[in-house]
Amino acid sequence: MNLECHLLRYADDWLVPYVVRHYLSFASKVVIHDAGGGMDLADMATRTPGLVVIPWDCPEVNDIRYAELRNSCWKGTQADWVVVGDLDELLWFPEGAEATLAAYEAMGAAVPKPHGIEMFSETYPTKDGQIFDEIKMGASDDKWYSKAILFNPRLVSDMRYGLGSHECDPVLHDQRRFHVGPQWPFAKPPCYLLHCHHIGPAQDIADKYDATITRMCAQNKQMHWGNLEPGIKHVADKRANIVPHLSQIIP
């Protein structure tokens, strides 16, 4: 199966190598749409077969522009499967990517829905392997984080992601339409969307939340699209929900 991955990135320098290694373990191509905010990825792209970095002029947090990019960046692909997500979203297949995608193909699945997981660690990974060689704990969150970032472009002509990509309204090539939201069934065999928002010391994550607020466009602030609370409070609130529900996600 030929899978192509499109990721939106701003900063998160420490995470980039782990995400690239993860997706290139089963994807033929990883495209990072890079809004900057950190190290220049051009050299990494020249040294990494399969990695493409496209500068994206979007310094503000602008959910309208984010949705527009997610809905257009993959158009024209020749891949069998496409992933469209944020840099801190890792799609993981517990039964293996090749076998799982083959099963989805056999059943004619157009938009398999993953289970959502908030991965958690007080410290960053330190080794040069996969991120989940070291970080295996997480908390299930199928309300907000089971985002349909995987789809079959040979069946789907338009994904129509909404704000934050939490839900979408795909259109098939035969013009059939459907809604992927809370009632959409989870994929079998399962896949998991591992969110890496809460990997690292609390203060680092709080600083990132605060920096995000300073970058928010006026419309995002006016409409309250995203967190507007002080970063350290938001971290504390989030971790109060994550920590009591932690379990080992990765064997």
Side-chain angles (χ1 to χ4, degrees), residues 6-73:
H6 291 263
L7 303 172
L8 284 62
R9 178 249 180 178
Y10 183 87
D12 279 335
D13 289 357
W14 75 269
L15 186 55
V16 173
Y18 290 101
V19 173
V20 171
R21 278 194 293 269
H22 170 69
Y23 278 115
L24 284 180
S25 70
F26 58 86
S28 58
K29 182 179 181 182
V30 172
V31 181
I32 295 180
H33 300 270
D34 189 10
M39 66 180 180
D40 186 346
L41 301 183
D43 182 60
M44 183 179 184
T46 62
R47 295 182 286 102
T48 309
L51 174 62
V52 176
V53 176
I54 300 177
W56 186 42
D57 184 18
C58 188
E60 291 186 317
V61 177
N62 185 322
D63 279 2
I64 298 294
R65 289 198 63 192
Y66 287 0
E68 290 173 348
L69 180 68
R70 291 185 180 103
N71 285 319
S72 64
C73 64

Side-chain angles (χ1 to χ4, degrees), residues 47-119:
R47 295 182 286 102
T48 309
L51 174 62
V52 176
V53 176
I54 300 177
W56 186 42
D57 184 18
C58 188
E60 291 186 317
V61 177
N62 185 322
D63 279 2
I64 298 294
R65 289 198 63 192
Y66 287 0
E68 290 173 348
L69 180 68
R70 291 185 180 103
N71 285 319
S72 64
C73 64
W74 57 274
K75 294 295 183 72
T77 183
Q78 299 301 308
D80 301 310
W81 292 94
V82 170
V83 168
V84 178
D86 295 329
L87 183 79
D88 58 4
E89 297 172 341
L90 301 182
L91 195 64
W92 177 64
F93 303 94
E95 298 183 21
E98 185 175 353
T100 302
L101 293 173
Y104 296 161
E105 181 85 13
M107 67 181 68
V111 186
K113 182 180 175 181
H115 290 281
I117 302 290
E118 279 268 34
M119 301 301 288

Side-chain angles (χ1 to χ4, degrees), residues 130-149:
Q130 297 291 350
I131 192 169
F132 39 74
D133 290 341
E134 299 175 70
I135 298 173
K136 301 176 180 292
M137 304 296 289
S140 176
D141 187 339
D142 284 338
K143 179 179 180 180
W144 294 107
Y145 292 124
S146 56
K147 297 160 63 174
I149 71 169

Side-chain angles (χ1 to χ4, degrees), residues 181-202:
Q183 304 306 314
W184 192 251
F186 291 103
K188 294 182 180 180
C191 57
Y192 291 82
L193 188 52
L194 310 180
H195 294 261
C196 300
H197 305 143
H198 281 271
I199 294 175

Side-chain angles (χ1 to χ4, degrees), residues 14 118-126 131 134-138 195-206 232 235-244 246:
W14 75 269
E118 279 268 34
M119 301 301 288
F120 179 80
S121 173
E122 294 279 6
T123 60
Y124 297 112
T126 59
I131 192 169
E134 299 175 70
I135 298 173
K136 301 176 180 292
M137 304 296 289
H195 294 261
C196 300
H197 305 143
H198 281 271
I199 294 175
Q203 188 59 57
D204 285 6
I205 297 165
I232 199 65
V235 169
D237 290 345
K238 291 283 286 183
R239 292 192 171 191
N241 288 322
I242 294 170
V243 173
L246 285 176

